[in-house]
Amino acid sequence: MPRALTCLAVATALATAVSPAIPLHAQGFQAPPALDYVALARLADTAPVVLKVQVKKATLVDAARAPDVPASMARLFVEAQVMNLIRGKAGVSESIRYLVDIPRDARGKVPKLKKAQFLLFARSGTRPGEVQLVAKDAQVPWTPAADQQVRTIVTELVAPGAPPAIRGIREALHVRGNLQGEGETQIFLATSTGDPVSITVLRRPGLAARWAVSLTEIVDEAAAPPRKGTLLWYRLACSLPAQVPARALVSDTPADNDLARRDYNFVLEQLGPCRG
């Protein structure tokens, strides 16, 4: 039995057996385009285990044992050395095994993975030393930039008071002020943990609209909008619905509900699309 490394959960058992070893072609592995923040955040958010590995051996799985793999792809049984543990709660073996599908090159050859380094996003397994990737793109070529970004994302995810996943809008209401054009919209969000998350939009005559997000019961009007490329921005930009559900509009008048919709659309515009 390989020695266990601490502070990382063991990831899931392999789904299929593999054929006897088939030598891989001696082509160098061509890394796919780098994943952006959103793609890495989605993987890290899903995976209870994140680690850096170096491939020791990659064996081609016979096509008969991988009938769901298209001809342009190849399924590999990978044996790898764990180099760094980035996220996880229990232990994992120093050497791990997993299955991964990778594209063949233009000639239909299988790229060589030996000695290549990757970031893996995985889940716990039933047998020691075996992991299952959480998605088809969950083996990410290691680069210093990707490593730093993933570590930053994981640090935010596990920090006390981290922004919870957004499940929708509970209530949205607009209250007019005493002056023409003055008002405040409050949008209360439903979250995976039940912890409070609210958005406030303030409008004052002659001033640009301001908005902020609160992660507590108390609304901080001095708070700034979340920066793009942060966990809070990701939670909002990638989870908020395209419009406020009619059931969530609780202003005193239909006109005020229209203003709440306007301010919600303003927030979506400020957040921008869920990419990058």
Side-chain angles (χ1 to χ4, degrees), residues 49 107 174 250 272:
V49 174
R107 296 183 296 169
H174 180 83
V250 295

Side-chain angles (χ1 to χ4, degrees), residues 26-32 102-103 111-114 116-118 139-141:
Q27 263 94 323
F29 175 69
Q30 298 297 313
I102 65 170
K112 184 178 180 182
L113 296 191
K114 187 175 182 180
Q117 296 180 9
F118 296 98
Q139 176 181 267
V140 176

Side-chain angles (χ1 to χ4, degrees), residues 5 8 49-55 80-87 92-96 98 115-122 138-144 146-148 150-151:
L5 295 175
L8 188 67
V49 174
V50 182
L51 58 160
K52 176 186 175 184
V53 303
Q54 184 172 48
V55 174
Q81 184 75 23
V82 175
M83 302 179 70
N84 293 116
L85 312 179
I86 298 172
R87 183 181 189 182
V92 69
S93 299
E94 290 184 345
S95 296
I96 61 169
Y98 61 95
K115 296 186 179 181
Q117 296 180 9
F118 296 98
L119 295 168
L120 299 186
F121 300 83
Q139 176 181 267
V140 176
W142 183 91
T143 65
D147 188 282
Q148 182 58 51
V150 168
R151 289 176 187 275

Side-chain angles (χ1 to χ4, degrees), residues 51-183:
L51 58 160
K52 176 186 175 184
V53 303
Q54 184 172 48
V55 174
K56 296 190 297 183
K57 182 179 179 182
T59 303
L60 181 63
V61 178
D62 185 76
R65 295 182 179 272
D68 57 323
V69 178
S72 61
M73 304 287 290
R75 178 162 294 168
L76 303 179
F77 175 67
V78 179
E79 300 172 60
Q81 184 75 23
V82 175
M83 302 179 70
N84 293 116
L85 312 179
I86 298 172
R87 183 181 189 182
K89 293 182 179 179
V92 69
S93 299
E94 290 184 345
S95 296
I96 61 169
R97 303 177 298 281
Y98 61 95
L99 293 173
V100 65
D101 295 347
I102 65 170
R104 296 176 182 269
D105 67 17
R107 296 183 296 169
K109 306 296 185 180
V110 180
K112 184 178 180 182
L113 296 191
K114 187 175 182 180
K115 296 186 179 181
Q117 296 180 9
F118 296 98
L119 295 168
L120 299 186
F121 300 83
R123 56 173 63 98
S124 59
T126 57
R127 291 183 291 180
E130 294 182 347
V131 303
Q132 183 180 23
L133 304 182
V134 298
K136 290 186 178 297
D137 59 349
Q139 176 181 267
V140 176
W142 183 91
T143 65
D147 188 282
Q148 182 58 51
Q149 191 161 49
V150 168
R151 289 176 187 275
T152 299
I153 292 168
V154 169
T155 298
E156 284 194 277
L157 283 168
V158 302
I166 304 301
R167 296 289 184 252
I169 299 174
R170 292 194 292 111
E171 291 183 344
L173 72 156
H174 180 83
V175 179
R176 300 190 191 216
N178 295 324
L179 302 176
Q180 181 68 28
E182 183 180 46

Side-chain angles (χ1 to χ4, degrees), residues 185-252:
T185 293
Q186 289 190 333
I187 303 162
F188 299 94
L189 305 180
T191 66
S192 59
T193 60
D195 293 331
V197 177
S198 62
I199 299 171
T200 302
V201 181
L202 295 173
R203 293 185 182 269
R204 299 290 184 265
L207 299 175
R210 294 192 300 111
W211 70 285
V213 183
S214 175
L215 301 181
T216 67
E217 298 288 355
I218 300 173
V219 176
D220 181 5
E221 295 186 0
R227 290 184 298 104
K228 185 174 182 179
T230 62
L231 182 60
L232 182 54
W233 170 84
Y234 163 74
R235 293 291 196 210
L236 297 171
C238 299
S239 300
L240 288 176
Q243 59 187 14
V244 182
R247 58 165 178 75
L249 292 164
V250 295
S251 302
D252 290 338

Side-chain angles (χ1 to χ4, degrees), residues 258-274:
D258 288 341
L259 292 174
R261 289 191 189 95
R262 174 203 63 184
D263 286 345
Y264 180 73
N265 290 336
F266 166 73
V267 169
L268 293 184
E269 291 170 1
Q270 294 289 303
L271 285 168
C274 173

